[in-house]
Amino acid sequence: MESFLFQAAIYLGAATLCVPLAVRFGLGSVLGYLVAGILIGPVTGLVGSETESLQHFAEFGVVMMLFLIGLELEPRALWDMRARLLGLGLGQVTLTMAAISGAAFFFGMTWQVSVAIGMTLALSSTAIVMQTLNEKQLTPTRGGRSAFSVLLAQDIVVIPMLAVMPLLATGQSHGDGGHGTDAMGDGESAQMVADVTHWVDTLPAWGLTALTIGAVAIVILGGLFLTRPIFTFAAQARLREMHTVVSLLFVIGVAVLMNLVGLSPALGTFLAGVVLANSEFRHELEADIEPFKGILLGLFFITVGAGIDFGTFVGAPLVVLGVVAGLMAVKGTILFVLALIFRMKGRDRILFTLSLAQAGEFGFVLVSVGVQDGVFGQEVSAILLLAVALSMLLTPLLFIAHDKLAARHKSEADVPADEIDETAEVIIAGVGRFGQMVHRMLQGSGVSTVVLDRDMETIQLLRRFGIKTYLGDPTRPELLKAAGLATAKVLVVALDDRADAVKLTKMAKKANPDIHVVARAYDRVHVYELYRAGARDIVREMFDGSLRAGRYALERLGWTETDAHEAREAFYKHDRESLLELAQLWKPGVPISENPEYTAKARELSKGLENAILTRFGEDDDAAAAARDDSEPSDRQI
């Protein structure tokens, strides 16, 4: 017990030290976890032989992640992905396998070992790629969705890969056939699992097919018809933790069933997630599983870092570096060609190419199975494991390279901009949720607008609903000129990118000093940036909604509707006046907390907030003074 707690403290301490630093320096959490593993493994030797067995356990984080991804996809959306799954996914796996196998055969490997190496290195890391895409909010982009399609296809093809691996051995197959029972412990339960696995392995082809179909049917039917009664029964206990227990039971149960019949647990739980995507328990399942997924994925990344064998690297550095560089160059080239064939443009093509150029966690599984079945020798397996780990270690750096390259393509339209054949008094730049509401209100009031946006999918969606929208980058001067910037009276800036919003405001005011700019802001600092750029009506995203919520809270506490409204209006007026005063003191590039004039004024204005509200109610001076005397000085910064 003491040893377990000591090891747990080491892993948690390393993560606590490295991950926040990595995120702070813009390197991403995944690289932080990998560096933490390197520190406690190869560098200091604080963890040792238990790393490999712990990695098998931590891989369940990948299973949970795919379950949560499945919850975000409706069955119809999965069907719509079929072209990318078959074209991009299978195309990438087939071409990469062929290229890497050919290279291995050229360097003297037997054809059996060459094919096994090709299968091992053709797969990419679902854990690292999806975690990073989610962190950087790149999953909804076309490049992100295409990368996910490839990863999903890889999770499917790993099943026949595991089945083919024993056939590539020169001797008789030995081991468990890749079902993973070695990681399930000793005793009667492990023996029972081994017996079931052996029974599955002895089934004829038709029996295995029927068993596979039956397992998939159980997952689908169980998700449709058993979820509600099980959750209802558990809710009768009136214990919050019972919901978490049921959620974990569902995911683990599906994974165990898939494992027993020789299917990928990750693929099975993904299917279960898709089945439950439209259920009323979707959000509860997400909330229950998400913390476990995050912890296990982090642990998995740490074990990858801790398991890197730098001794192998020192013994053959040129070979290892050559394998890693060759792997990433070959996969990157194939991915780039596929992106061209499927007509990805600009940033999406860069994201798709760089995000999948590494090997993945299933590579560890295939190497392990290959060693057990006599396909790989010790030297080849050691180099492969190190190459897989190092390529995963380099992946966060590839995402950083993507960010740099994507910034250069930011101003380049992926498709030609539309020809604008009309002008109006109001130009709306950006039609996300904010811009759409502004457009609908103006259109309902009989005001004509010219609407611009750079996102093709958004444009196509709005056109289906009869909303005329022009495709193009609103920050391009020639596009604004064609939209009638010189004669327009109002420009509504509703762009997602805060820097582009400031850039557009400056450009518009320079081209037409008389135009009135209404801009969306993310926070106070963004307000100051837009104010300096020339915008005068600046709407903070959450401000009006927050005031409404505050007013409702006051009404629930017994305030009259009139008094709650007056309090809201008083706060609104005071905050607007405060912003104007603080905007004069704000200094670009200087953090607010390091601007003494700003913080002093903010504290002064904060103390006057209660007085402003009381004055709005018409309180007399004595009551206001009493309130001031009784109240503690506020340190809250505006």
Side-chain angles (χ1 to χ4, degrees):
M1 183 65 178
E2 291 79 3
S3 175
F4 168 78
L5 292 176
F6 177 71
Q7 294 293 332
I10 290 175
Y11 279 94
L12 294 174
T16 303
L17 172 66
C18 296
V19 175
L21 288 175
V23 172
R24 181 175 181 180
F25 289 108
L27 303 177
S29 66
V30 173
L31 188 58
Y33 283 118
L34 291 170
V35 171
I38 293 173
L39 286 178
I40 64 177
V43 175
T44 62
L46 292 175
V47 295
S49 58
E50 77 283 350
T51 299
E52 184 176 352
S53 59
L54 188 59
Q55 189 175 81
H56 290 306
F57 172 72
E59 283 173 357
F60 199 72
V62 181
V63 173
M64 289 184 167
M65 179 178 65
L66 281 171
F67 175 73
L68 293 176
I69 292 173
L71 286 176
E72 299 292 335
L73 282 176
E74 297 181 3
R76 183 182 183 87
L78 185 60
W79 175 252
D80 291 340
M81 292 170 56
R82 65 189 183 280
R84 289 197 294 266
L85 282 172
L86 295 174
L88 279 175
L90 295 183
Q92 181 273 324
V93 172
T94 303
L95 292 174
T96 305
M97 273 185 57
I100 294 178
S101 298
F105 187 75
F106 176 79
F107 283 103
M109 298 291 178
T110 65
W111 72 266
Q112 295 98 327
V113 174
S114 298
V115 171
I117 292 175
M119 292 193 303
T120 301
L121 300 182
L123 306 177
S124 302
S125 175
T126 302
I128 291 181
V129 174
M130 291 309 303
Q131 175 83 355
T132 310
L133 288 176
N134 290 332
E135 279 185 9
K136 294 179 176 290
Q137 299 180 340
L138 294 171
T139 307
T141 65
R142 187 185 178 194
R145 293 195 305 272
S146 298
F148 170 66
S149 299
V150 171
L151 292 170
L152 184 57
Q154 291 177 356
D155 287 338
I156 296 173
V157 300
V158 77
I159 301 166
M161 284 182 177
L162 289 170
V164 168
M165 188 67 79
L167 303 179
L168 300 175
T170 54
Q172 294 296 317
S173 174
H174 57 280
D176 62 18
H179 287 281
T181 57
D182 58 317
M184 293 191 179
D186 300 319
E188 296 181 2
S189 60
Q191 183 59 46
M192 181 179 67
V193 172
D195 292 341
V196 173
T197 301
H198 177 72
W199 175 73
V200 171
D201 288 338
T202 58
L203 286 175
W206 66 266
L208 186 59
T209 302
L211 185 65
T212 301
I213 295 174
V216 173
I218 289 174
V219 172
I220 295 175
L221 296 176
L224 292 175
F225 300 110
L226 293 180
T227 309
R228 180 179 287 111
I230 292 175
F231 268 99
T232 302
F233 176 76
Q236 295 175 358
R238 300 185 182 278
L239 295 173
R240 178 67 186 89
E241 59 268 23
M242 284 306 301
H243 293 285
T244 304
V245 170
V246 173
S247 300
L248 288 173
L249 172 64
F250 189 81
V251 177
I252 294 174
V254 171
V256 169
L257 177 62
M258 294 294 105
N259 211 35
L260 288 176
V261 300
L263 296 178
S264 165
L267 184 62
T269 52
F270 172 78
L271 176 62
V274 173
V275 171
L276 293 171
N278 290 321
S279 75
E280 65 268 38
F281 303 105
R282 167 187 165 183
H283 297 294
E284 188 165 8
L285 285 164
E286 283 182 320
D288 290 336
I289 298 299
E290 181 68 36
F292 295 95
K293 183 267 294 185
I295 293 173
L296 287 175
L297 274 181
L299 181 60
F300 171 75
F301 297 139
I302 293 177
T303 59
V304 170
I308 294 178
D309 183 5
F310 285 101
T312 301
F313 178 78
V314 172
L318 295 180
V319 174
V320 174
L321 291 176
V323 171
V324 174
L327 161 68
M328 303 187 84
V330 168
K331 291 186 81 169
T333 302
I334 291 172
L335 290 165
F336 185 80
V337 171
L338 287 172
L340 290 176
I341 294 174
F342 280 79
R343 298 181 180 179
M344 293 184 212
K345 304 290 184 179
R347 286 169 286 175
D348 291 321
R349 186 166 60 220
I350 296 171
L351 175 62
F352 180 74
T353 301
L354 294 180
S355 65
L356 299 172
Q358 77 293 117
E361 52 275 354
F362 278 118
F364 296 119
V365 178
L366 288 170
V367 171
S368 175
V369 173
V371 172
Q372 293 172 9
D373 292 330
V375 181
F376 297 132
Q378 286 299 119
E379 183 179 359
V380 172
S381 64
I383 292 176
L384 284 177
L385 289 173
L386 183 57
V388 170
L390 288 178
S391 70
M392 293 171 71
L393 180 64
L394 292 173
T395 302
L397 301 180
L398 292 181
F399 273 99
I400 295 174
H402 158 265
D403 295 340
K404 302 291 186 183
L405 293 173
R408 298 181 181 180
H409 286 73
K410 203 161 196 177
S411 60
E412 299 177 12
D414 288 341
V415 294
D418 290 335
E419 183 177 344
I420 302 176
D421 55 6
E422 63 177 330
T423 59
E425 291 183 320
V426 179
I427 300 173
I428 300 177
V431 280
R433 291 174 297 177
F434 186 93
Q436 286 180 39
M437 293 299 292
V438 174
H439 171 73
R440 288 172 59 189
M441 180 179 175
L442 293 176
Q443 189 180 50
S445 303
V447 177
S448 62
T449 62
V450 175
V451 182
L452 309 173
D453 199 280
R454 62 171 63 128
D455 187 87
M456 186 62 188
E457 292 188 6
T458 301
I459 298 293
Q460 292 174 339
L461 177 64
L462 293 176
R463 286 174 179 172
R464 292 194 194 106
F465 288 92
I467 301 175
K468 189 173 183 179
T469 312
Y470 293 99
L471 175 66
D473 187 348
T475 61
R476 291 170 56 187
E478 65 273 17
L479 204 65
L480 287 174
K481 182 180 179 181
L485 178 65
T487 58
K489 294 181 179 179
V490 178
L491 170 65
V492 179
V493 179
L495 300 178
D496 290 333
D497 190 290
R498 57 190 297 163
D500 281 350
V502 175
K503 176 183 176 182
L504 175 58
T505 302
K506 289 180 180 178
M507 185 189 308
K509 293 297 289 184
K510 182 177 181 180
N512 181 2
D514 295 328
I515 197 169
H516 187 82
V517 178
V518 180
R520 176 184 70 170
Y522 284 86
D523 51 32
R524 285 180 175 271
V525 173
H526 198 207
V527 170
Y528 303 147
E529 292 172 341
L530 289 166
Y531 184 80
R532 289 283 178 92
R536 287 300 175 263
D537 282 332
I538 305 170
V539 182
R540 279 171 284 167
E541 276 189 334
M542 312 300 294
F543 186 65
D544 290 329
S546 301
L547 291 185
R548 288 179 62 191
R551 193 190 86 197
Y552 296 153
L554 291 176
E555 291 175 4
R556 292 301 119 201
L557 292 174
W559 289 45
T560 66
E561 187 173 332
T562 300
D563 286 347
H565 175 73
E566 291 293 330
R568 178 205 175 281
E569 290 300 309
F571 184 93
Y572 175 82
K573 180 181 178 182
H574 181 271
D575 189 82
R576 293 275 294 181
E577 294 172 350
S578 299
L579 268 180
L580 286 172
E581 293 189 48
L582 291 171
Q584 310 301 323
L585 300 175
W586 175 72
K587 298 177 181 179
V590 178
I592 289 176
S593 59
E594 298 177 12
N595 184 338
E597 294 85 1
Y598 181 98
T599 54
K601 188 64 177 178
R603 292 163 71 93
E604 176 188 335
L605 292 169
S606 181
K607 292 178 182 179
L609 175 59
E610 187 174 351
N611 291 336
I613 296 178
L614 291 175
T615 301
R616 181 83 180 189
F617 286 130
E619 297 285 342
D620 57 39
D621 294 340
D622 292 336
R628 286 196 301 272
D629 293 338
D630 292 339
S631 64
E632 292 293 331
S634 173
D635 290 331
R636 183 175 58 83
Q637 183 173 309
I638 297 291

